[in-house]
């Protein structure tokens, strides 16, 4: 609820990494690992900002931020085929009106 993200290992109650205020205090409403690239995850905050984290490129801050200005995004999920090396990765956004939007991710964040 405060924009913090914690990375845990299943064998420990303490986080391996913790990023405080990663969304400038906005609650995170969805977070998902990339299906095609294990070091990348995406976070959606309550202000319809999508943050892309690539832990191999920068483990302190997101590598990109994209604002969806037209309408509030209420949730997101990712689509892709992890068994294929084509690097195709998409973000499915569900908007407040019920509209679904699919955006494809740049190959540098999608390739295995």
């Amino acid at each position: 609820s405060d924009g913090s993200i914690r990375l845990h290992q299943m064998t420990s109650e303490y986080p391996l990494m913790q990023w405080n205020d990663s969304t400038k205090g906005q609650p995170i409403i969805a977070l998902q690992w990339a299906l095609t690239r294990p070091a990348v995850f995406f976070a959606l905050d309550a202000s319809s900002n999508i943050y892309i984290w690539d832990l191999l490129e920068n483990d302190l801050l997101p590598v990109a931020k994209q604002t969806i200005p037209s309408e509030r995004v209420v949730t997101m999920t990712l689509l892709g085929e992890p068994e294929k090396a084509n690097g195709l990765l998409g973000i499915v956004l569900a908007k407040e009106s019920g509209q679904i939007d699919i955006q494809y991710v740049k190959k540098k964040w999608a390739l295995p």
Side-chain angles (χ1 to χ4, degrees):
S1 65
D2 64 358
S4 296
I5 298 173
R6 293 172 194 84
L7 176 64
H8 284 267
Q9 184 175 0
M10 296 299 288
T11 57
S12 174
E13 65 182 280
Y14 302 104
L16 294 172
M17 296 281 295
Q18 181 168 327
W19 299 276
N20 295 320
D21 199 33
S22 62
T23 60
K24 296 184 177 49
Q26 288 295 314
I28 296 173
I29 57 175
L31 189 140
Q32 190 172 350
W33 286 100
L35 302 170
T36 57
R37 189 174 170 99
V40 174
F41 66 90
F42 297 78
L44 171 67
D45 74 13
S47 294
S48 298
N49 296 303
I50 299 171
Y51 300 85
I52 303 172
W53 292 77
D54 183 344
L55 300 179
L56 296 178
E57 186 177 325
N58 186 341
D59 64 358
L60 298 176
L61 300 167
V63 294
K65 175 184 168 185
Q66 177 68 48
T67 301
I68 310 299
S70 59
E71 186 180 346
R72 193 169 84 85
V73 177
V74 294
T75 193
M76 74 168 186
T77 192
L78 299 177
L79 58 87
E81 297 177 293
E83 63 279 355
K84 292 187 178 177
N86 63 5
L88 186 63
L89 180 66
I91 302 175
V92 181
L93 305 171
K95 297 185 177 181
E96 198 168 41
S97 67
Q99 180 183 5
I100 301 294
D101 188 18
I102 299 174
Q103 297 186 8
Y104 288 95
V105 175
K106 288 182 180 180
K107 293 249 186 222
K108 70 179 185 176
W109 296 313
L111 285 173

